[in-house]
Amino acid sequence: MAKDVIIACDFPSADETIKFLDKLTRIRDEVVKCDDITVIPRPFVKIGMELYYAEGPKIVKTLKDRGHKVFLDLKLHDIPNTVKKTMQVLGEYGVDMVNLHAAGGIDMMVAAKAGLMLGSARLADKPKLIAVTQLTSTDEGTMHRELLIDRPLEEVVKQYALNAKEAGLDGVVCSAFEAAGIHEACGLDFLTVTPGIRLTKDGSDDQKRVMTPKEAREAGSDYIVVGRPITAAEKPSEAYAEVCSQFIGR
Ligand code: C5P
């Protein structure tokens, strides 16, 4: 399974995003150490709600045209028909990965997949559809007290992952702490995309369950999503290099 680092580009504008990414591209080429640099893709990036709502679909096109793989993290959650139609639109953008909340249920996820496949019908590489299980900012106490879900967090996450698999999705967004259990329940081909990553020296910000890139690699994460440890670092290029070498370096 290809492992990669996805940079969460939680910036307010396209200008800031592009300025930031330009600095990182050179570093990636050095860390990944491929003989033929023309085949090295630019960093895999995640466009979240802040950037997407500020810039609209053109930010996706801009980053795709510049050679980035794009995970469009809009976490859809609505009635099946609305999600299907929306996914069809997102599929037409040519994104590489897109997501929704598994809490929307199996029917919603089936509809989402159908919409995404319709939208991306012309593409050879189909986008991956990933379900958010529980946000990594949610811990078991919050889930019990506020959401009134009284089962253990691990059990809830595993059931949401099984629901996503049954609906034909490609994987889930989850904490790296759950990656091994999800692979055990859903198979090694079922992708685990894990935010909540911190270099040891970082604080955890609002993330409640965190791991280092090295720990996430050992835990079996397929992709790690890393935002502030890179974007808010004093030296983002060095932080990105460190994250890459811990997670995908040789
Ligand atoms: O800055 P940080 O590394 O905490 O960023 C994590 C990114 O992953 C954010 O863009 C956040 O929206 C996203 N995310 C998350 N937890 C989830 C799903 C997505 O933190 N369960």
Side-chain angles (χ1 to χ4, degrees):
M1 187 67 62
K3 292 198 177 255
D4 210 343
V5 174
I6 303 177
I7 303 174
C9 291
D10 295 323
F11 293 109
S13 71
D15 281 356
E16 263 187 70
T17 306
I18 286 161
K19 208 182 292 170
F20 174 80
L21 289 172
D22 277 347
K23 282 189 260 173
L24 298 184
T25 297
R26 184 180 51 80
I27 294 295
R28 181 188 172 97
D29 295 351
E30 285 165 15
V31 173
V32 179
K33 289 194 178 69
C34 178
D35 292 339
D36 179 3
I37 63 162
T38 58
V39 302
I40 298 175
R42 304 279 76 86
F44 200 145
V45 297
K46 179 173 86 66
I47 300 174
M49 295 183 211
E50 181 186 9
L51 185 56
Y52 183 78
Y53 289 130
E55 298 286 353
K58 72 176 186 299
I59 184 65
V60 177
K61 186 173 181 336
T62 302
L63 295 180
K64 289 295 297 177
D65 287 350
R66 293 169 66 94
H68 293 277
K69 281 190 162 189
V70 172
F71 170 18
L72 189 54
D73 176 20
L74 298 182
K75 299 188 183 73
L76 270 58
H77 188 172
D78 209 316
I79 60 170
N81 186 56
T82 302
V83 170
K84 180 180 179 185
K85 301 279 187 208
T86 309
M87 281 292 176
Q88 183 169 350
V89 175
L90 302 185
E92 286 163 9
Y93 291 174
V95 293
D96 299 277
M97 194 181 277
V98 65
N99 64 358
L100 45 62
H101 273 286
I106 294 174
D107 286 352
M108 185 201 77
M109 291 192 273
V110 168
K113 172 94 184 193
L116 189 63
M117 290 307 110
L118 273 175
S120 62
R122 68 182 168 88
L123 303 174
D125 286 334
K126 303 295 177 208
K128 303 282 186 212
L129 182 56
I130 306 289
V132 175
T133 52
Q134 282 292 340
L135 296 172
T136 42
S137 55
T138 304
D139 62 12
E140 193 160 285
T142 311
M143 216 182 62
H144 291 174
R145 279 191 316 275
E146 297 178 18
L147 308 181
L148 303 186
I149 300 173
D150 57 8
R151 309 287 273 269
L153 179 67
E154 207 184 303
E155 196 182 317
V156 173
V157 166
K158 204 179 281 184
Q159 185 58 48
Y160 282 18
L162 285 165
N163 292 350
K165 188 176 163 75
E166 187 181 329
L169 270 60
D170 300 289
V172 286
V173 181
C174 63
S175 159
F177 290 93
E178 290 131 14
I182 286 171
H183 280 142
E184 206 182 311
C186 302
L188 284 177
D189 287 349
F190 194 70
L191 300 174
T192 52
V193 180
T194 66
I197 302 297
R198 291 294 177 268
L199 291 164
T200 29
K201 56 185 181 297
D202 298 330
S204 60
D205 305 309
D206 51 349
Q207 299 285 13
K208 293 193 175 146
R209 295 174 283 144
V210 300
M211 268 196 199
T212 65
K214 182 170 180 286
E215 287 166 343
R217 170 187 176 144
E218 287 161 4
S221 299
D222 297 299
Y223 293 91
I224 52 173
V225 176
V226 188
R228 287 161 292 182
I230 299 172
T231 57
E234 214 173 295
K235 295 184 175 162
S237 302
E238 286 179 20
Y240 180 60
E242 173 64 18
V243 171
C244 286
S245 68
Q246 281 195 27
F247 192 66
I248 49 176
R250 298 182 189 140

